[in-house]
Amino acid sequence: MALALCLSVILAGSSALSPGAFSIVLVAAWSACIAVINSNCTRRRLTKAAWLMGLAIAAIPLAQMIPIPLRAAGALAGQAPLLNAASFLQVNNWHPLTLDVESTWHSFLLASGYVAVFWGAATLSQNGRVGLIYLVLALAMAGLLFGFAQMVHPDSRFYLQPDAVPGTLTGFFGNRNHEADLLVIAAGLAVALAGASPARLERLTLYALAIVFAAGVIATRSRAGILLLFVLAGMLLLQRSGSRKAALLSAGAVFSALLALMLFTPVGHMSFLRFLGEGGSFDRILIWRESLVALREVFPVGSGAGTFAQAYASVEALEDVSGVFINHAHSEVLQVPIELGLPGVMLVGGALISLAIRFVQLGRQGEKLAQAVLCCLAVPILHSLVDYPLRDFAIGSVACLLLSFAFASRSSVNVPRPVTRHPSPQTAIKATAIYKPRFWLTAAGLLLVALVAQTGVADILVGGGRPALALRITPLSSRAHLARAQQLIGDGEWAGEATYHAQRALWLNTYSARAWALIGYSALQRGDIARADSAFLSAARLGWRDEAVQQYVFRRAVETGSAETAARAADALLRRNAASSQTVMDQVINLLPDAGFRDEIAIRLAESPSWKSIFLARLNPENQARAAAQIELFRALARHKVPLAVPDALGYLERSNASGALPTVLDAWRLMHGAKAGDPQLSAIDGAFQFNDRSLFPFGWLPRDGRLAQVVALSPGSHSLTLTSPDRQKDSDGHASPRLDISCGERGKGASVAGIQAAKIDGKQAIRGTITIPPKRCALQILSIGPATEIR
């Protein structure tokens, strides 16, 4: 059991295990469980509660893989991808409730690993479980030392998990929050063991370890970890308080410290920001909002264990798509019902109620150590409200060890069994191995070990580019079928066997957009355009993340004149990776003369996608038609309240000037605005603007560093300007507060302002000055003035 726990913490500190680590930790867990169950260290084995809880954990994923008639499955909520695939493939076979059989199978095997750790630890004696607790402390300390090495040398060799962020203290984990969870648990366990230890030196050592672990939590800079440290401290104080008064004082002290942490420290402020919408792909509010949409689609049946990522992608709004793949809901309150449906909610609710009842019973029985250990179990449970620590097998295995203290075997000593010299025939039959629960548990464990090894070998073969061999081992692997279809298509075999494997992959994983794409390519190769279009559009309905699907949809939408679909597909492609999608960006620019497409792209740009600035920087007015189309795009953006930033406008005009197209841009501007355009020799910009409601013209006045600015194209020489403002305050030089500055774009401060004088015009304070533009390298300028001003 110690070896299994070590392998789990060191190798499985990520929610996305590699096939090798997946196989090693599960085989180790079940081997340890079988060894413990078949040992003679205890007289009584697992309690009924432990049996039921272990079986329930793995029951729902297993039930989701039982095939049922397609008509029965289609009558349930959330089965639209299955029905669409069945209609396209023209099949009426039985199908499991899960929409991705292989992902649910992996989840079942992973859940069985949790069961193995739980059953094995629950069968051990009390001393054995305490010994594993000390091992957890040792592993936490080793991970902390490893984490300090990561901080000193932030390179990849000190990070065991590929998803770890260099420069952060993650220990054996890929996520610093999960490392903080282990350290908080270790600090609580050290306090719990110190309270149960009679030796003074041991108590002092354990308290010192708790302080070290608490310091490690702070070093991780995990907001959740620091908050949970206070919560656990409060729970342990309440659990150890002998009187109601002491309990209330302890709770008040911890609550006051926690409140001070939240209100007066950066940690608290960052925590509030995290859940008030901090923006970006990891915004919790955004993820939870989209998860609620997925929940409405699949509840009460669920999409299948392990299928959250596919379910989320199938409903994800295009505006939220990025290069970051959302693989968890960051809240088990949402992910459990999405994957497991109402049965999963009932299971988790029943488990928590049983745990609470058992916690109270342990307190009445005087089992202070077990009760304190369960307080530590609250750390990953509470963190699961806003994250997914229990989906890391490392944290999950430690949690199962802690859970075993609540439902452990009642007998912890070796008591010899009486020997019957003359057993009756019935007694003799019941004494045979086949009637013993441990016989069946051993048989089931060995079968699961074989299945884990089979699945792991197949996954390794698929990753190694040998899907044909993997299919001989696991013919129901959708990943192997998909890899084989891609391999055959890559060799030029579009039809026949490639189509068969793509269809099998789709039937086993009806969420697979790539399987739809391969079927579409196969149909396209055979000249069946209608079937290819149907396949690709079905794939697009599953989300906007598969690049091959969006490229095809974009091309076909352009060919068929579907402006809205083309704009959405282009947006999806550019959101994923704008830097490597220059071809798509050039196609979008070439399509701007089409008014319908231009308006749709303006709608997409109004959402301020990640590719907006790159796209605007790429615009190049080569001729009057293209310049007019691009300025019409700017005008459409202004209608959507999306002003161009000064650098965007400056860059566009600089490119126009460098290519000799500036007169063309000015002509297009005059054509658009007529009388509003003004004298192009004085300015390339329309000076009229409305700042308060932000309805600005393209290239109009824009906020910049707390002031207003615009790009101008003043000719070389001197120009007299007058600025008025209702603001009557004056600066230290006696000038009116609006200040006038001009610079030669991004090339320096070659332009100058001189002769500033205060004046009064129409009852308003004003300043007058002379602007001098140098004759060279200053064709474009940025004119900036103080806020709330007018230019005349």
Side-chain angles (χ1 to χ4, degrees), residues 586-600:
D586 290 339
Q587 289 177 293
V588 171
I589 294 174
N590 292 333
L591 289 170
L592 287 180
D594 182 275
F597 180 80
R598 184 173 62 242
D599 291 341
E600 292 295 335

Side-chain angles (χ1 to χ4, degrees), residues 672-690:
M672 287 173 54
H673 293 280
K676 291 183 178 181
D679 183 3
Q681 296 301 318
L682 176 66
S683 173
I685 312 303
D686 179 5
F689 70 97
Q690 295 176 344

Side-chain angles (χ1 to χ4, degrees), residues 115-358:
V115 174
V117 175
F118 171 55
W119 278 350
T123 308
L124 288 174
S125 65
Q126 179 80 348
N127 290 338
R129 285 190 296 275
V130 171
L132 291 181
I133 291 296
Y134 277 100
L135 177 61
V136 170
L137 299 184
L139 289 171
M141 179 57 69
L144 185 57
L145 295 176
F146 201 67
F148 285 138
Q150 295 167 345
M151 298 292 290
V152 175
H153 302 285
D155 50 49
S156 59
R157 63 179 174 176
F158 287 104
Y159 292 93
L160 299 182
Q161 305 300 334
D163 54 344
V165 179
T168 59
L169 195 159
T170 61
F172 299 131
F173 294 85
N175 188 317
R176 65 177 181 178
N177 291 315
H178 299 171
E179 166 67 8
D181 282 341
L182 180 62
L183 293 175
V184 174
I185 291 172
L189 292 176
V191 172
L193 291 174
S197 174
R200 183 172 181 273
L201 179 59
E202 184 179 4
R203 286 200 305 272
L204 293 176
T205 303
L206 289 169
Y207 282 131
L209 274 178
I211 294 173
V212 172
F213 291 139
V217 173
I218 297 174
T220 63
R221 294 179 296 169
S222 168
R223 292 167 281 191
I226 295 172
L227 295 177
L228 287 171
L229 187 64
F230 279 85
V231 172
L232 181 59
M235 294 180 66
L236 290 175
L237 284 173
L238 289 173
Q239 184 261 336
R240 297 185 62 180
S241 298
S243 64
R244 181 176 299 180
K245 182 178 179 180
L248 291 175
L249 290 175
S250 301
V254 172
F255 177 78
S256 300
L258 184 59
L259 186 63
L261 176 73
M262 296 296 293
L263 295 178
F264 304 113
T265 66
V267 172
H269 297 162
M270 289 188 297
S271 299
F272 280 122
L273 291 175
R274 185 65 176 269
F275 302 110
L276 293 178
E278 63 179 5
S281 301
F282 295 104
D283 187 347
R284 291 287 197 273
I285 301 300
L286 186 152
I287 296 174
W288 293 343
R289 185 189 68 208
E290 296 298 310
S291 298
L292 283 173
V293 177
L295 179 59
R296 288 194 295 267
E297 290 289 327
V298 301
F299 199 77
V301 179
S303 59
T307 63
F308 170 81
Q310 300 97 306
Y312 184 91
S314 69
V315 301
E316 187 177 17
L318 176 58
E319 291 76 14
D320 301 328
V321 172
S322 67
V324 177
F325 194 75
I326 306 300
N327 60 344
H328 292 291
H330 294 270
S331 174
E332 296 299 339
V333 175
L334 291 171
Q335 187 157 346
V336 167
I338 289 174
E339 293 187 347
L340 304 181
L342 183 59
V345 174
M346 296 174 63
L347 169 66
V348 173
L352 292 176
I353 292 173
S354 300
L355 196 58
I357 293 174
R358 187 60 183 148

Side-chain angles (χ1 to χ4, degrees), residues 561-636:
S562 179
E564 181 180 359
T565 304
R568 289 176 65 84
D571 191 5
L573 285 167
L574 295 173
R575 281 177 185 270
R576 285 183 55 83
N577 193 351
S580 63
S581 301
Q582 301 302 327
T583 302
V584 177
M585 199 168 289
D586 290 339
Q587 289 177 293
V588 171
I589 294 174
N590 292 333
L591 289 170
L592 287 180
D594 182 275
F597 180 80
R598 184 173 62 242
D599 291 341
E600 292 295 335
I601 282 294
I603 294 173
R604 309 313 327 161
L605 287 169
E607 301 292 339
S608 295
S610 57
W611 54 274
K612 175 185 171 183
S613 59
I614 301 177
F615 175 76
L616 294 176
R618 198 172 178 81
L619 292 178
N620 186 13
E622 297 176 353
N623 51 58
Q624 185 171 357
R626 172 167 285 195
Q630 293 172 4
I631 294 181
E632 285 288 351
L633 174 65
F634 300 151
R635 194 175 184 182

Side-chain angles (χ1 to χ4, degrees), residues 295-515:
L295 179 59
R296 288 194 295 267
E297 290 289 327
V298 301
F299 199 77
V301 179
S303 59
T307 63
F308 170 81
Q310 300 97 306
Y312 184 91
S314 69
V315 301
E316 187 177 17
L318 176 58
E319 291 76 14
D320 301 328
V321 172
S322 67
V324 177
F325 194 75
I326 306 300
N327 60 344
H328 292 291
H330 294 270
S331 174
E332 296 299 339
V333 175
L334 291 171
Q335 187 157 346
V336 167
I338 289 174
E339 293 187 347
L340 304 181
L342 183 59
V345 174
M346 296 174 63
L347 169 66
V348 173
L352 292 176
I353 292 173
S354 300
L355 196 58
I357 293 174
R358 187 60 183 148
F359 180 84
V360 174
Q361 291 175 345
L362 289 173
R364 292 174 178 174
Q365 295 169 3
E367 297 285 348
K368 290 295 184 181
L369 176 59
Q371 198 178 41
V373 168
L374 290 187
C375 289
C376 300
L377 179 59
V379 170
I381 293 176
L382 291 175
H383 196 189
S384 295
L385 297 175
V386 293
D387 211 337
Y388 52 95
L390 292 174
R391 293 181 182 268
D392 274 6
F393 195 83
I395 295 293
S397 60
V398 173
C400 288
L401 169 62
L402 305 183
L403 182 64
S404 67
F405 278 79
F407 303 101
S409 169
R410 296 186 181 88
S411 177
S412 60
V413 295
N414 185 22
V415 180
R417 298 182 180 182
V419 178
T420 304
R421 296 185 179 275
H422 303 286
S424 64
Q426 292 182 347
T427 304
I429 292 174
K430 291 182 179 180
T432 58
I434 198 170
Y435 278 91
K436 295 181 179 180
R438 70 179 182 181
F439 170 82
W440 294 105
L441 182 57
T442 301
L446 291 175
L447 176 61
L448 285 170
V449 167
L451 292 174
V452 167
Q454 178 191 31
T455 303
V457 170
D459 289 343
I460 291 173
L461 290 173
V462 171
R466 305 183 68 182
L469 184 56
L471 285 172
R472 295 182 181 180
I473 300 174
T474 55
L476 296 180
S477 170
S478 58
R479 293 182 179 89
H481 280 292
L482 191 63
R484 181 58 177 158
Q486 290 178 309
Q487 192 178 69
L488 291 170
I489 287 177
D491 294 338
E493 299 181 18
W494 294 84
E497 188 179 357
T499 303
Y500 165 77
H501 286 295
Q503 291 177 346
R504 288 295 296 165
L506 178 61
W507 188 244
L508 292 169
N509 179 10
T510 56
Y511 272 134
S512 178
R514 182 51 59 92

